[in-house]
Amino acid sequence: TGSKGATWLTLEDGRLIDVRHESVDVVRWSVLDVDVRSAQHFIDVVEAASSALSAEQDRAEGRTLAARVRLLGATHLHGELKRREDELLAELRRHSIESGGIYLEKIETKTRGEIALETLALRGDAMAGLFQSLQSLRDDPEALDAFRSELERPLAGVGAELLREEMAEFDEILREAESLLAGHLLDSSREEEA
């Protein structure tokens, strides 16, 4: 992240008389954290992320900007952002193309719901039960191993190397499942309140 280059030292009669940085990079890499806590609608998130990309492009000193956008914060939009990640990526890629000189690597939705996960788990429906089961797996290594084995069984015909690569991200897969369920539970809780 930031300028990459070299430091030029000017010496005269063995004494240092000048030090200056010279940027030599042609592409500027950046990870942009976008706080979406105050966003009220999906379009607010699109606009906040687009603004962050444009501001970072201005700091890139005319170089191409390669960026990853991370959405952060507790928001009532958590479930919607998870469901509409592809749409969000398309909107930000459109912005990048229209702006010129921006390459958007990916978006990471690291938001969370505004309601405590423990509160969601207390609901009496099937989704809450599934959510509770996923959460309890984290506290029981034997159950977690058994669950992982159950997931691997249908993939027995897949090459061992590919299976290892896919299952290496097992913790991330579990976190993503929890996040999607939490988003669904938050959305359905909000609909019941309306």
Side-chain angles (χ1 to χ4, degrees), residues 58-128:
D58 290 344
R59 288 188 287 275
E61 302 171 329
R63 291 163 177 78
T64 297
L65 172 67
R68 176 182 303 164
V69 172
R70 292 190 303 205
L71 304 177
L72 307 172
T75 175
H76 71 277
L77 296 171
H78 173 74
E80 183 176 0
L81 292 173
K82 283 296 192 181
R83 281 192 317 279
R84 296 176 71 182
E85 272 185 338
D86 289 342
E87 185 180 345
L88 180 60
L89 181 61
E91 286 292 329
L92 294 181
R93 287 215 164 119
R94 181 188 57 76
H95 170 79
S96 298
I97 291 167
E98 287 175 357
S99 298
I102 300 176
Y103 165 73
L104 179 61
E105 179 223 12
K106 68 179 178 178
I107 299 171
E108 294 178 341
T109 304
K110 303 286 188 182
T111 57
R112 61 189 181 285
E114 293 177 317
I115 299 173
L117 297 180
E118 294 78 19
T119 304
L120 293 176
L122 294 176
R123 291 174 37 143
D125 61 6
M127 292 297 281

Side-chain angles (χ1 to χ4, degrees), residues 20 23 44 46 48 59 63 75 103 105 111 131 133-134 165 172 186-187 194:
R20 66 182 166 86
S23 296
D44 298 334
V46 172
R59 288 188 287 275
R63 291 163 177 78
T75 175
Y103 165 73
E105 179 223 12
T111 57
F131 187 71
S133 295
L134 280 174
E165 288 175 18
E172 183 60 32
L186 284 168
D187 287 348

